[in-house]
Structure formats: C-alpha cells, structure tokens
C-alpha cells in the first residue's frame, strides 16, 4: 500500500509541475463548419462557413480579422510588388502575379457576413478582412460568425493554386477565410506577402463537393469512405453512385489550426501502416517515371515518423498524408504538399523536413512569422538528424551544412537578427539562412552548451509541456533551463535578438620549467563556455572545460574516455583568460571545441600546434 501511495503522489507532483509551467497561459478557440462546391472547369468555388469563436483572453474584443490569402494572387498585391522589388525574387513568383489575367487571379469575395445572425460591416484590405463587431466579445464568451463567399483558385504561383508545374489540378492551401490569431501580443493579422502563418486552434468540419473523378487528400478524417471510395474504402467495399456527377467529401479534423486539401483526377492513392497505428496516405500522379520512388518512399516515411515519435514525442493524430502538389514542400495540418518528380534521396529529404514540421510549428505552434527560426530551424535540425539515420548517410555531423551556411551569413555583413519578422529580411537568402541554418545551429550549439543528453531531454519536455499551444522562444529556453540547471537567457538573447558573433582564440601557449601557460581571448561579443582539447607529446589527451560564469552551471563530461578538467569560470567582461598546465607534459596540439559545435566565426585562431 505504501508503494502505491508513493506512485500516486509522484503522479500528482508531475501533473502539478506540468500545469504550473503554463500557468496563466490562454489561447483562443475557433470551430469551423464549411461547405464548398468546386467547379473544376472554371476553378471557382462557392463556400459557406459557420465559425464559433471563443474568446479565452482576458480582453474584450470589439473587432476581428480574417486572412483572405487568395487575394495575394492579384496584380499589384503586396506579394506581387514585394516579389518585383526584392533583390533576389523567388523563381516561382518573380513577376508572374503581375501577368495574371482576370480568369487566372485568385480571390475570395464575401457575399455576406453575420455575427449571431446580425449583418456586420467589414472592409477587405488586400489579404486581410477587417470586421467591426456589433456585439463586443467578452472574456470567456463565444460568438458565431456565418459567412458566404465566392472564390477563384489562382494559377499555381506560390504554394496554392491550380495546375501545378507537375500537373496537379488543385493545391488548396490557405484557401478559406481564416480567422487571425489573437494572443498575449494582440492580433496577428499579417498581410500575406511571402511567408509564414499563425493560426487559431480548433475543430474543423468540412464538406467538399467536387467532380466524382477527383481524389482528395488533405487534413482530417474522411467520414464517408464507403460512399466515396477513391482508396479510402475498406477492401472490397462497394461505393455509392455520385449525384449529378459529383461526390461530397466530408472531413473532420479535431484540434488543428489549419485545413488543407489537394485534388486531382489522376491521383494514385496508397495507404501504408505506420507506427502507433497511424495510417500514412500517399497521393501521387499516375506517372510511370515517379511511381517506383513513391512506392519506396512509403516505408521510409514510416521510419521517419518513428524517429520523430522517439526523439520529440508521439504524433497524436491517426493519419498523415504525403501529397504530390504545391511547388516545393510545405507543411500543413496532418499532411504535406510536395513536388513529386524528384530523385529518391530528395523525395525522402523533403518528406522528412515537412513531416518534422508536424512537431515544430504544427503541434508546437510558434508564431512562425515572428519566430521563423523555431519553425524552420528546429525542423531542419531534427530532419537532418533523422535523414542521417533513416538514409544511413553516416555523416559525423549532420548539422555541418547549417554551420557553414550560418558562418557565411555571419561574416557577410548582411546578417539581420533572427527576431526579424519573416517578411522583413532584405533578401530571401538572408531569411533562408537565418531561419533554417542559424535556427538549426541554435539547437546543435545548445547541445554543446548544456550537453547532448540535456538537449534531447529538453526537446521531449518542450513537446510534452507545449504541444497544442503557441510556445514562444522564452518558453523553449525556460524548458532548457529547467532540464539542464543552466541559466540560458544570455544564449537566447545574443543568438536570436542580435547579430553578435562568437570568436574565441588561443592567443599564446608558452612553456617554461615544465609549466605551460595558456592564454585565451574573447574577440566576439557573444559569450560561450569553452571546451579546450589538448593532446600531449606522449599521446595522452585532456579536455579543459571553462564554464561561462553567467550560465551558473557546468556540463557533464561529454567525452567519458578523456580526462575532463573543470577550470574556474570565465566571466564575460574579461577579454582574456589565463591558466597553467602543471602536469609536466609537453603540449603537442590544442583546439577550442574539437567537435566544432560552437559556431565560432573565425576557426583559424582556435588551434595551436596544427598546420
Ligand atoms: Zn520548412
């Protein structure tokens, strides 16, 4: 009995600890019911939306905002003008929007909008709908919005649209009027200029009526597989005849913050059993040149899912779909749209990256417009680790490419802080390296600072505490602090909010009377702890660890086979640090961070005794 009491108590303590970490946290909720009728000849569709919005904030809301993303695909839109004025436009966009004819543009045109049955006044401003409410929404209250709209699917230019370069008919991403997120920072009604999203958690119920020849893949569980068929039915199950040549597909998606679908009349649809009973769906064109790769992709996707389950946390839905569509690779709720005419390694690589986004940004739903490095960077980190294992790449450092990218940017004179809004980088390239490469290095380098075991535990605890929420950079670093016992505010601040760089040097090594004096120098502004590897002339090895004083902790020896000597702390303001080696051995070589996980921008001054 005592033992039982003990375990119940332990359970209570764990539960309390978890809830305390998110104490005071709130998020809005939105439940969508939508019906869509698609005309596959004109690519126009009619939509109705019943939206129940619950205000869990402490604030009274007198207006709301919706995203109307399709309006970006019109000549003169912000997306169009930005693409024509940025130094390095995306090849897929360039000036293509400016050349769209009226039958090729995208739009969402409101027919009506009501709140609890009363008509509302609103204004469409580019890709944002501004709505004044008749009745302010009080804290804790729900209200119902009803909308009717007409829309046209644009020619595929960026992510969404009709007739992709690989011939996929409909890539329906960012396609419906979507309630903007309101959080502790207020409204996030970002115009759709180039990239990144932030959505409200909720339940979706979507009915799509479309020509019976088309197969749909996307977010949500199909509710009427026996009626529709198209690979969703049980083996041998007879399907029903379409009405007027159309089927109505009924999807339900619980607790997601987006809804995406794609449709084509030539899709092959395979279902592969993944780990934990997750059904992996694959939708790809009936093209003999890609079929074999898409078959071989299926077991690899299952292995990738198992890797992420193990290293981050269990995928919580029962379905994930890999869909040929879009114009590269983009992550969505319970699915991804990727281009499919790729070499096998690239096909697995893009699937690894987009599937990893199911954790980093989807379940751990950071505001990716503001914290793009937590989205793309964390995803790049974990998918590169996964590819190394699943594709047996045998790369000693799967993050080496990200370090090279970051080093290039940091020394280019063109780096902007990672806290820059995703749309506000001076070039697409600067955004890409900052978000993907520097973001991946953030994690890999954190492993250097707190130790790999602590990094691994941090990722798991971050998932268990923050899944289905909107974590911020501070929420992540607080988890790392609690797991490791380190103070890490300096790491978060310098790395993500400044362009300060790391540059430590071995400035002198001198020997006198069997005693070696070593002097190190901090040249860069960013502080770091130092692992100094030494090999003596007799072949023996030693690592001197110099803790960073402001971290108020020291890591465990990462090299159990090597003598690990912890020296006194280095306080950041002191530009130099000196210590003596008194074991009588002669130093042959000496290297700062032999593992090269500290992103020192000038590795040339990091060693002694090496050619
Ligand atoms: Zn990505």
């Amino acid at each position: 009995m005592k033992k039982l009491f003990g375990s119940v108590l332990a359970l209570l303590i764990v539960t309390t600890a978890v809830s305390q970490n998110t104490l005071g946290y709130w998020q809005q909720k939105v439940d969508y019911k939508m019906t869509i009728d698609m005309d596959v000849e004109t690519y126009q569709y009619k939509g109705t939306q019943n939206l129940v919005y619950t205000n869990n904030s402490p604030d009274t809301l007198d207006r709301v905002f919706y995203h109307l993303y399709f309006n970006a695909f019109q000549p003169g839109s912000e997306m169009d003008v930005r693409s024509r004025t940025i130094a390095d436009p995306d090849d897929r966009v360039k000036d293509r929007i400016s050349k769209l004819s009226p039958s090729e543009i995208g739009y969402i045109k409101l027919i009506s909008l009501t709140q609890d049955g009363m008509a509302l006044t609103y204004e469409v401003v580019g890709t944002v709908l501004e709505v004044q409410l008749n009745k302010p929404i009080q804290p804790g209250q729900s209200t119902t919005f009803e909308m009717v709209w007409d829309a046209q699917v644009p020619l595929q230019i960026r992510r969404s649209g009709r007739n992709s370069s690989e011939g996929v008919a409909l890539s329906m991403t960012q396609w419906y009027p979507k309630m903007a997120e309101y959080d502790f920072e207020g409204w996030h009604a970002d115009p759709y200029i180039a990239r990144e999203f932030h959505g409200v958690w909720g339940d979706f119920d979507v009915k799509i009526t479309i020509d019976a020849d088309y197969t749909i893949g996307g977010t949500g569980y199909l509710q009427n597989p026996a009626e529709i068929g198209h690979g969703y039915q049980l083996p041998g199950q007879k399907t029903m005849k379409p009405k007027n040549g159309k089927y109505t597909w009924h999807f339900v998606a619980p607790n997601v913050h987006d809804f995406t679908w794609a449709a084509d009349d030539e899709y092959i649809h395979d279902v592969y059993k993944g780990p934990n009973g997750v059904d992996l769906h694959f939708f790809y064109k009936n093209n003999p040149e890609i079929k074999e790769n898409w078959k071989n992709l299926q077991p690899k996707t299952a292995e990738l899912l198992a890797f992420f389950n193990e290293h981050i946390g269990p995928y919580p839905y029962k379905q994930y779909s890999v869909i040929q569509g879009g114009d590269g690779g983009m992550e969505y709720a319970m699915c991804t749209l990727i281009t499919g005419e790729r070499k096998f390694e690239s096909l697995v690589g893009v699937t690894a990256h987009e599937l990893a986004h199911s954790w980093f940004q989807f379940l751990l739903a950071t505001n990716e417009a503001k914290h793009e490095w937590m989205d793309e960077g964390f995803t790049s980190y974990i998918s590169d680790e996964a590819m190394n294992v699943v594709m047996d790449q045998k790369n000693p450092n799967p993050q080496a490419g990200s370090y090279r990218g970051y080093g290039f940017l940091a020394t280019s004179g063109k780096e902007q802080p990672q806290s820059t809004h995703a749309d506000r980088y001076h070039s697409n390239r600067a955004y890409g390296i900052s978000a993907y490469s520097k973001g991946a290095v953030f994690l890999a380098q954190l492993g250097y600072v707190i130790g790999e075991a602590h990094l691994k535990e941090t990722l798991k605890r971050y998932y268990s505490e923050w899944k289905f929420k909107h974590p911020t950079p501070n929420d992540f670093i607080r988890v790392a602090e609690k797991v490791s016992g380190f103070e890490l505010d300096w790491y978060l601040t310098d790395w993500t909010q400044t362009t300060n760089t790391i540059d430590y040097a071995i400035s002198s090594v001198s020997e006198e009377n069997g005693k070696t004096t070593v002097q190190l120098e901090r040249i860069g502004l960013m502080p770091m702890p130092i692992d100094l590897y030494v090999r003596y002339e007799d072949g023996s090895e030693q690592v001197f660890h110099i803790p960073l004083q402001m971290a108020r902790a020291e890591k465990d020896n990462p090299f159990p086979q090597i003598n690990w000597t912890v020296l006194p702390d280095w306080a950041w303001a002191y530009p130099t640090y000196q210590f003596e080696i008194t074991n009588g051995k002669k130093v042959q070589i000496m290297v700062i961070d032999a593992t090269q996980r500290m992103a020192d921008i000038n590795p040339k001054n990091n060693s002694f005794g090496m050619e």
Side-chain angles (χ1 to χ4, degrees), residues 331 353-354 357 376 436:
E331 68 277 13
H353 181 95
E354 307 312 337
H357 272 303
E376 296 301 350
Y436 290 71

Side-chain angles (χ1 to χ4, degrees), residues 185-247:
E185 295 173 310
W187 284 104
H188 296 280
D190 290 344
Y192 189 27
I193 296 174
R195 54 176 68 92
E196 308 311 342
F197 306 98
H198 188 42
V200 191
W201 285 102
D203 300 333
F204 283 70
D205 182 305
V206 181
K207 286 178 178 157
I208 302 163
T209 302
I210 192 168
D211 195 280
D213 293 341
Y214 283 67
T215 302
I216 296 181
T219 308
Y221 306 111
L222 184 63
Q223 300 299 294
N224 51 344
E227 179 185 344
I228 305 282
H230 282 274
Y232 286 94
Q233 76 277 36
L234 296 171
Q237 198 168 37
K238 263 202 133 16
T239 56
M240 285 159 76
K241 276 222 161 66
K243 279 185 205 134
N244 305 322
K246 287 185 164 190
Y247 280 127

Side-chain angles (χ1 to χ4, degrees), residues 559-571:
F559 317 102
Q561 70 284 17
I562 301 180
N563 181 317
W564 174 259
T565 305
V566 179
L567 296 174
D569 290 354
W570 186 343

